[in-house]
Amino acid sequence: MAMAAGAKFGGISMPNQTLYINNINDKLSKDLLRRELYVLCSQFGAVLDVVALKTGKMRGQAFVVFQHLTSASIALQKLNGFEFYGKALRTAYCKSKSDAVAKEDGTFVPKHKRKRPDGGDKSVPSYKQPPAKKAAGETEKAAEEKEKTAAPMEEDEAEKAPESVADDQPPNNILFLERLPGEVNAVMLKTLFKQFPGLKEVRMVPGKPGIAFVEFEAEAQAAVAKDTLQGFKLTPTNEMRITFAKKE
């Protein structure tokens, strides 16, 4: 699975079904780490694969492949800063599509037919099945099995999640976006919001950088996008604010 971290589009983070997670406690065994990440991430949606290696530069890092982009977006926000075995996780969208996702959407190309990327870096191999399915046949020392496990998302973790935004406007199928970086454009925002069904249009406001409108076919669809991407950081210093647009 050839993957790299930090998907960017002109400096703006772009969504991907695969998350890159680092700053992981490197004392965990590979099998235990894969199982724990599978369980931790499954609360946000179906997980197709977990890749965690213990060799060379891959120590303390992992890739988690979700079936749906929406699940990956929620996990990215909820798990960033989450304490996992004594260390705060750091999350980012992966730069490229994973093999598991390519097989799902029919774009998979066998490894021997791919063009080798510049620099000659070796592709990260993908496991055939998620760790939860392999766990039954694996053996592990009892002491390691009973090691402290990753704590579930507690209420106090809400402090690490984006703050809720007071929205006095009634539900609307049009969202109003604020605090956007100056370099963002309609194409970038469409890439971010197209993961949600019902997207109709993205409108920038001429002469007014930092704001935009995103229109969906229905209010319920707009509400899902609003709740999922509230506080999403397009750049390290720009936390997006989303509210329902005023109805005319």
Side-chain angles (χ1 to χ4, degrees):
M1 183 189 315
M3 296 186 291
K8 296 287 184 181
F9 185 165
I12 306 299
S13 297
M14 287 292 106
N16 192 316
Q17 285 165 253
T18 303
L19 289 189
Y20 167 69
I21 304 177
N22 68 349
N23 200 41
I24 300 172
N25 189 327
D26 60 9
K27 294 182 180 179
L28 301 177
S29 71
K30 179 177 68 174
D31 293 333
L32 179 62
L33 175 58
R34 292 182 72 235
R35 288 204 300 274
E36 295 293 353
L37 284 178
Y38 181 84
V39 173
L40 180 65
C41 293
S42 290
Q43 64 183 300
F44 306 110
V47 174
L48 297 178
D49 199 9
V50 177
V51 176
L53 303 179
K54 297 284 289 183
T55 57
K57 297 180 180 180
M58 286 301 299
R59 295 181 69 86
Q61 304 170 69
F63 296 91
V64 179
V65 186
F66 288 88
Q67 185 173 18
H68 301 294
L69 196 53
T70 305
S71 301
S73 296
I74 296 172
L76 179 140
Q77 296 190 58
K78 296 293 186 181
L79 294 182
N80 193 45
F82 177 70
E83 188 168 324
F84 181 77
Y85 281 91
K87 299 190 71 174
L89 299 178
R90 291 197 294 264
T91 59
Y93 286 124
C94 187
K95 185 181 295 184
S96 56
K97 182 186 296 186
S98 72
D99 288 352
V101 173
K103 289 176 181 178
E104 284 274 313
D105 63 20
T107 60
F108 176 72
V109 177
K111 196 175 189 179
H112 67 278
K113 293 184 179 181
R114 300 175 191 169
K115 292 183 178 180
R116 191 172 180 81
D118 293 338
D121 291 338
K122 293 181 179 179
S123 297
V124 180
S126 171
Y127 293 94
K128 299 293 184 181
Q129 299 177 0
K133 295 181 180 179
K134 290 186 176 182
E138 294 175 347
T139 58
E140 194 93 30
K141 290 182 179 180
E144 188 176 50
E145 288 280 5
K146 295 182 180 180
E147 257 186 298
K148 59 179 181 177
T149 57
M153 298 297 288
E154 303 286 353
E155 289 184 5
D156 58 0
E157 286 299 317
E159 296 179 4
K160 296 179 182 179
E163 295 182 5
S164 59
V165 175
D167 192 350
D168 297 329
Q169 298 300 323
N172 194 345
N173 65 314
I174 300 176
L175 300 177
F176 177 54
L177 278 52
E178 300 176 272
R179 302 176 185 171
L180 302 176
E183 62 269 32
V184 77
N185 58 39
V187 174
M188 295 177 184
L189 289 178
K190 185 175 181 180
T191 300
L192 180 62
F193 279 88
K194 71 180 181 181
Q195 60 181 294
F196 303 99
L199 177 65
K200 290 184 63 178
E201 183 182 14
V202 173
R203 299 191 296 273
M204 305 300 293
V205 181
K208 294 185 178 181
I211 63 175
F213 291 92
V214 178
E215 183 176 355
F216 285 85
E217 294 176 355
E219 292 178 356
Q221 295 169 330
V224 171
K226 172 179 175 290
D227 292 342
T228 302
L229 293 179
Q230 188 68 262
F232 181 78
K233 289 188 176 181
L234 288 161
T235 69
T237 57
N238 291 87
E239 189 172 282
M240 185 164 57
R241 183 176 189 272
I242 309 175
T243 55
F244 290 119
K246 294 181 180 179
K247 288 189 173 182
E248 297 181 355

